mmCIF file of all heavy atoms in Angstrom:
data_model
loop_
_atom_site.group_PDB
_atom_site.id
_atom_site.type_symbol
_atom_site.label_atom_id
_atom_site.label_comp_id
_atom_site.label_asym_id
_atom_site.label_seq_id
_atom_site.Cartn_x
_atom_site.Cartn_y
_atom_site.Cartn_z
ATOM 1 N N LEU A 16 10.026 11.647 24.323
ATOM 2 C CA LEU A 16 8.848 12.432 24.079
ATOM 3 C C LEU A 16 9.252 13.991 24.021
ATOM 4 O O LEU A 16 9.983 14.541 24.957
ATOM 5 C CB LEU A 16 7.828 12.284 25.169
ATOM 6 C CG LEU A 16 7.330 10.905 25.191
ATOM 7 C CD1 LEU A 16 6.209 10.842 26.330
ATOM 8 C CD2 LEU A 16 6.644 10.507 23.866
ATOM 9 N N VAL A 17 8.789 14.665 23.035
ATOM 10 C CA VAL A 17 8.831 16.121 22.897
ATOM 11 C C VAL A 17 7.470 16.636 22.923
ATOM 12 O O VAL A 17 6.595 16.182 22.131
ATOM 13 C CB VAL A 17 9.662 16.506 21.582
ATOM 14 C CG1 VAL A 17 9.107 15.969 20.347
ATOM 15 C CG2 VAL A 17 9.762 18.009 21.580
ATOM 16 N N VAL A 18 7.128 17.402 23.884
ATOM 17 C CA VAL A 18 5.734 17.839 24.262
ATOM 18 C C VAL A 18 5.534 19.234 23.924
ATOM 19 O O VAL A 18 6.267 20.252 24.265
ATOM 20 C CB VAL A 18 5.483 17.638 25.774
ATOM 21 C CG1 VAL A 18 4.092 17.872 26.076
ATOM 22 C CG2 VAL A 18 5.825 16.102 26.145
ATOM 23 N N GLU A 19 4.393 19.419 23.150
ATOM 24 C CA GLU A 19 4.059 20.774 22.697
ATOM 25 C C GLU A 19 3.434 21.541 23.816
ATOM 26 O O GLU A 19 2.457 21.094 24.589
ATOM 27 C CB GLU A 19 2.994 20.771 21.571
ATOM 28 C CG GLU A 19 2.576 22.228 21.092
ATOM 29 C CD GLU A 19 1.621 22.105 19.953
ATOM 30 O OE1 GLU A 19 0.814 21.119 19.878
ATOM 31 O OE2 GLU A 19 1.493 23.140 19.154
ATOM 32 N N VAL A 20 3.986 22.661 24.252
ATOM 33 C CA VAL A 20 3.470 23.508 25.362
ATOM 34 C C VAL A 20 3.513 24.972 24.754
ATOM 35 O O VAL A 20 4.445 25.609 24.774
ATOM 36 C CB VAL A 20 4.448 23.454 26.593
ATOM 37 C CG1 VAL A 20 3.889 24.198 27.746
ATOM 38 C CG2 VAL A 20 4.592 22.035 27.056
ATOM 39 N N GLY A 21 2.278 25.412 24.409
ATOM 40 C CA GLY A 21 2.204 26.712 23.741
ATOM 41 C C GLY A 21 2.865 26.776 22.432
ATOM 42 O O GLY A 21 2.659 26.028 21.594
ATOM 43 N N TYR A 22 3.825 27.846 22.395
ATOM 44 C CA TYR A 22 4.580 27.974 21.146
ATOM 45 C C TYR A 22 5.993 27.346 21.245
ATOM 46 O O TYR A 22 6.876 27.669 20.374
ATOM 47 C CB TYR A 22 4.692 29.416 20.781
ATOM 48 C CG TYR A 22 3.317 30.092 20.601
ATOM 49 C CD1 TYR A 22 2.730 30.837 21.520
ATOM 50 C CD2 TYR A 22 2.755 29.749 19.410
ATOM 51 C CE1 TYR A 22 1.551 31.485 21.246
ATOM 52 C CE2 TYR A 22 1.533 30.356 19.098
ATOM 53 C CZ TYR A 22 0.885 31.208 20.056
ATOM 54 O OH TYR A 22 -0.316 31.729 19.764
ATOM 55 N N LYS A 23 6.177 26.237 22.105
ATOM 56 C CA LYS A 23 7.397 25.628 22.264
ATOM 57 C C LYS A 23 7.211 24.183 22.370
ATOM 58 O O LYS A 23 6.077 23.751 22.744
ATOM 59 C CB LYS A 23 8.117 26.110 23.548
ATOM 60 C CG LYS A 23 8.676 27.495 23.471
ATOM 61 C CD LYS A 23 9.461 27.834 24.857
ATOM 62 C CE LYS A 23 10.022 29.262 24.664
ATOM 63 N NZ LYS A 23 10.879 29.454 25.662
ATOM 64 N N PHE A 24 8.142 23.440 22.120
ATOM 65 C CA PHE A 24 8.275 22.036 22.349
ATOM 66 C C PHE A 24 9.241 21.832 23.488
ATOM 67 O O PHE A 24 10.310 22.466 23.515
ATOM 68 C CB PHE A 24 8.684 21.214 21.134
ATOM 69 C CG PHE A 24 7.593 21.040 20.219
ATOM 70 C CD1 PHE A 24 7.458 21.670 19.102
ATOM 71 C CD2 PHE A 24 6.689 19.889 20.409
ATOM 72 C CE1 PHE A 24 6.410 21.443 18.119
ATOM 73 C CE2 PHE A 24 5.643 19.628 19.522
ATOM 74 C CZ PHE A 24 5.487 20.435 18.427
ATOM 75 N N ARG A 25 8.856 20.915 24.507
ATOM 76 C CA ARG A 25 9.628 20.687 25.675
ATOM 77 C C ARG A 25 9.901 19.283 25.908
ATOM 78 O O ARG A 25 9.132 18.355 25.562
ATOM 79 C CB ARG A 25 8.946 21.290 26.902
ATOM 80 C CG ARG A 25 8.806 22.769 26.852
ATOM 81 C CD ARG A 25 8.023 23.369 28.006
ATOM 82 N NE ARG A 25 8.858 23.290 29.264
ATOM 83 C CZ ARG A 25 8.429 23.633 30.353
ATOM 84 N NH1 ARG A 25 7.182 24.229 30.555
ATOM 85 N NH2 ARG A 25 9.265 23.557 31.463
ATOM 86 N N PHE A 26 11.111 19.037 26.326
ATOM 87 C CA PHE A 26 11.543 17.683 26.885
ATOM 88 C C PHE A 26 11.572 17.733 28.309
ATOM 89 O O PHE A 26 11.803 18.841 28.938
ATOM 90 C CB PHE A 26 12.934 17.305 26.421
ATOM 91 C CG PHE A 26 13.206 17.218 24.920
ATOM 92 C CD1 PHE A 26 13.683 18.430 24.304
ATOM 93 C CD2 PHE A 26 12.927 16.107 24.207
ATOM 94 C CE1 PHE A 26 13.760 18.243 22.901
ATOM 95 C CE2 PHE A 26 13.101 16.030 22.889
ATOM 96 C CZ PHE A 26 13.540 17.102 22.135
ATOM 97 N N PHE A 27 11.287 16.596 29.020
ATOM 98 C CA PHE A 27 11.160 16.572 30.452
ATOM 99 C C PHE A 27 12.056 15.356 30.975
ATOM 100 O O PHE A 27 12.101 14.340 30.334
ATOM 101 C CB PHE A 27 9.791 16.323 30.921
ATOM 102 C CG PHE A 27 8.885 17.509 30.592
ATOM 103 C CD1 PHE A 27 8.044 17.494 29.479
ATOM 104 C CD2 PHE A 27 8.675 18.566 31.478
ATOM 105 C CE1 PHE A 27 7.200 18.631 29.090
ATOM 106 C CE2 PHE A 27 7.925 19.685 31.190
ATOM 107 C CZ PHE A 27 7.201 19.616 29.996
ATOM 108 N N GLY A 28 12.586 15.585 32.160
ATOM 109 C CA GLY A 28 13.349 14.586 32.886
ATOM 110 C C GLY A 28 14.558 14.074 32.077
ATOM 111 O O GLY A 28 15.422 14.914 31.538
ATOM 112 N N GLU A 29 14.734 12.717 31.950
ATOM 113 C CA GLU A 29 15.904 12.180 31.265
ATOM 114 C C GLU A 29 15.967 12.625 29.831
ATOM 115 O O GLU A 29 17.010 12.785 29.248
ATOM 116 C CB GLU A 29 16.001 10.627 31.424
ATOM 117 C CG GLU A 29 16.182 10.203 32.813
ATOM 118 C CD GLU A 29 16.127 8.700 32.815
ATOM 119 O OE1 GLU A 29 16.142 7.996 31.791
ATOM 120 O OE2 GLU A 29 16.088 8.038 34.011
ATOM 121 N N ASP A 30 14.807 12.772 29.253
ATOM 122 C CA ASP A 30 14.660 13.203 27.768
ATOM 123 C C ASP A 30 15.268 14.591 27.719
ATOM 124 O O ASP A 30 15.938 14.862 26.669
ATOM 125 C CB ASP A 30 13.290 13.218 27.361
ATOM 126 C CG ASP A 30 12.605 11.823 27.210
ATOM 127 O OD1 ASP A 30 13.330 10.844 27.327
ATOM 128 O OD2 ASP A 30 11.420 11.749 27.048
ATOM 129 N N ALA A 31 15.130 15.390 28.696
ATOM 130 C CA ALA A 31 15.670 16.799 28.511
ATOM 131 C C ALA A 31 17.208 16.712 28.671
ATOM 132 O O ALA A 31 17.882 17.450 27.933
ATOM 133 C CB ALA A 31 15.123 17.651 29.659
ATOM 134 N N GLN A 32 17.706 15.866 29.532
ATOM 135 C CA GLN A 32 19.116 15.808 29.637
ATOM 136 C C GLN A 32 19.823 15.268 28.383
ATOM 137 O O GLN A 32 20.706 15.786 27.915
ATOM 138 C CB GLN A 32 19.451 14.710 30.844
ATOM 139 C CG GLN A 32 20.847 14.847 31.309
ATOM 140 C CD GLN A 32 20.889 14.068 32.750
ATOM 141 O OE1 GLN A 32 20.083 13.161 32.975
ATOM 142 N NE2 GLN A 32 21.928 14.323 33.399
ATOM 143 N N VAL A 33 19.197 14.240 27.743
ATOM 144 C CA VAL A 33 19.678 13.631 26.584
ATOM 145 C C VAL A 33 19.568 14.710 25.510
ATOM 146 O O VAL A 33 20.440 14.828 24.640
ATOM 147 C CB VAL A 33 18.942 12.362 26.115
ATOM 148 C CG1 VAL A 33 19.331 11.902 24.817
ATOM 149 C CG2 VAL A 33 19.127 11.273 27.179
ATOM 150 N N ALA A 34 18.388 15.394 25.252
ATOM 151 C CA ALA A 34 18.246 16.418 24.237
ATOM 152 C C ALA A 34 19.133 17.518 24.370
ATOM 153 O O ALA A 34 19.674 18.016 23.439
ATOM 154 C CB ALA A 34 16.895 16.904 24.304
ATOM 155 N N ALA A 35 19.454 17.963 25.633
ATOM 156 C CA ALA A 35 20.451 19.023 25.829
ATOM 157 C C ALA A 35 21.836 18.628 25.240
ATOM 158 O O ALA A 35 22.498 19.457 24.634
ATOM 159 C CB ALA A 35 20.490 19.370 27.336
ATOM 160 N N ALA A 36 22.173 17.394 25.547
ATOM 161 C CA ALA A 36 23.488 16.947 25.073
ATOM 162 C C ALA A 36 23.567 16.745 23.550
ATOM 163 O O ALA A 36 24.511 17.114 22.860
ATOM 164 C CB ALA A 36 23.916 15.637 25.702
ATOM 165 N N GLU A 37 22.519 16.244 22.981
ATOM 166 C CA GLU A 37 22.425 15.957 21.560
ATOM 167 C C GLU A 37 22.220 17.197 20.631
ATOM 168 O O GLU A 37 22.801 17.346 19.609
ATOM 169 C CB GLU A 37 21.314 14.980 21.287
ATOM 170 C CG GLU A 37 21.515 13.519 21.775
ATOM 171 C CD GLU A 37 22.708 12.756 21.091
ATOM 172 O OE1 GLU A 37 22.977 13.065 19.963
ATOM 173 O OE2 GLU A 37 23.095 11.706 21.663
ATOM 174 N N LEU A 38 21.393 18.079 21.140
ATOM 175 C CA LEU A 38 21.088 19.191 20.377
ATOM 176 C C LEU A 38 21.673 20.480 20.787
ATOM 177 O O LEU A 38 21.526 21.517 20.042
ATOM 178 C CB LEU A 38 19.481 19.444 20.460
ATOM 179 C CG LEU A 38 18.581 18.211 20.170
ATOM 180 C CD1 LEU A 38 17.082 18.624 20.417
ATOM 181 C CD2 LEU A 38 18.747 17.951 18.674
ATOM 182 N N GLY A 39 22.512 20.480 21.840
ATOM 183 C CA GLY A 39 23.180 21.782 22.277
ATOM 184 C C GLY A 39 22.301 22.776 22.774
ATOM 185 O O GLY A 39 22.395 24.019 22.581
ATOM 186 N N ILE A 40 21.068 22.351 23.514
ATOM 187 C CA ILE A 40 20.249 23.243 23.977
ATOM 188 C C ILE A 40 20.375 23.219 25.574
ATOM 189 O O ILE A 40 21.036 22.349 26.139
ATOM 190 C CB ILE A 40 18.834 23.099 23.626
ATOM 191 C CG1 ILE A 40 18.279 21.620 24.045
ATOM 192 C CG2 ILE A 40 18.575 23.256 22.137
ATOM 193 C CD1 ILE A 40 16.787 21.367 23.594
ATOM 194 N N TYR A 41 19.849 24.236 26.221
ATOM 195 C CA TYR A 41 20.057 24.430 27.580
ATOM 196 C C TYR A 41 18.939 23.561 28.382
ATOM 197 O O TYR A 41 17.717 23.662 28.123
ATOM 198 C CB TYR A 41 19.939 25.805 28.040
ATOM 199 C CG TYR A 41 20.150 26.129 29.504
ATOM 200 C CD1 TYR A 41 21.356 25.806 30.125
ATOM 201 C CD2 TYR A 41 19.173 26.591 30.291
ATOM 202 C CE1 TYR A 41 21.549 26.097 31.511
ATOM 203 C CE2 TYR A 41 19.248 26.769 31.661
ATOM 204 C CZ TYR A 41 20.572 26.617 32.213
ATOM 205 O OH TYR A 41 20.707 26.780 33.622
ATOM 206 N N ALA A 42 19.285 22.693 29.409
ATOM 207 C CA ALA A 42 18.357 22.006 30.298
ATOM 208 C C ALA A 42 18.406 22.733 31.672
ATOM 209 O O ALA A 42 19.410 23.003 32.147
ATOM 210 C CB ALA A 42 18.735 20.535 30.358
#
Side-chain angles (χ1 to χ4, degrees):
L16 295 179
V17 55
V18 181
E19 182 181 26
V20 181
Y22 296 106
K23 291 185 177 188
F24 278 100
R25 295 176 71 178
F26 297 96
F27 294 94
E29 290 178 17
D30 293 347
Q32 198 169 22
V33 172
E37 296 285 347
L38 304 175
I40 59 178
Y41 182 69

